[in-house]
Amino acid sequence: LTSGRIALYSIVLPAGLSISNISFMSGTTAGVTLTNQWFALVDNALKVLAVTADDTSTAWAATTKKTLAIAGAPFITPYTGLYYVGILVKATTMPTIEGVSGGSGTGVRALLPASGGYSTSSLTGPSSVGTTLAAIAAQANFKYAELS
């Protein structure tokens, strides 16, 4: 993660799915001096659909799942297809986020929509996200996220 920059990771969801929470799992590095930490659900056109509350300075230890409630939950997915789950953390030491690394982004993967990577930067609280995010700078890694 990069402090203050939202990272997005693809997920395919069915229409009509009720979502109240978004979770991410930290890896071996805890967040230190946290200022903002919130999650979002974004559609395939990068429009922001749902945002959690900001967990601000609440501790996020290493190897710990953080679950945040969607504001105004539940959110009901309007279509079957590609969505993105977003994570924003602003801190002096960023927590590592559990996931897997992929290939180099060449070949067939280069022809597909970006499955994960960084988007809009210089964000703070959930109200700073706006309604549409910037294009995704694709990366070859995928983070574990959970919707419930």
Side-chain angles (χ1 to χ4, degrees), residues 1-8 36 38 46 48 87-90 94 117-130 132-137:
L1 297 179
T2 299
S3 184
R5 187 170 189 190
I6 193 165
L8 301 171
N36 301 102
W38 48 269
L46 301 181
V48 178
I87 178 173
L88 182 288
V89 177
K90 189 172 181 185
M94 301 298 289
Y118 292 112
S119 181
T120 306
S121 59
S122 301
L123 297 175
T124 56
S127 62
S128 69
V129 72
T132 303
L133 295 170
I136 297 172

Side-chain angles (χ1 to χ4, degrees), residues 47-94:
K47 292 189 190 276
V48 178
L49 301 174
V51 180
T52 68
D54 189 352
D55 211 21
T56 62
S57 60
T58 304
W60 193 352
T63 62
T64 303
K65 182 169 83 169
K66 180 171 284 269
T67 299
L68 300 177
I70 291 175
F75 174 80
I76 309 298
T77 53
Y79 64 89
T80 295
L82 180 71
Y83 292 82
Y84 294 95
V85 181
I87 178 173
L88 182 288
V89 177
K90 189 172 181 185
T92 57
T93 300
M94 301 298 289

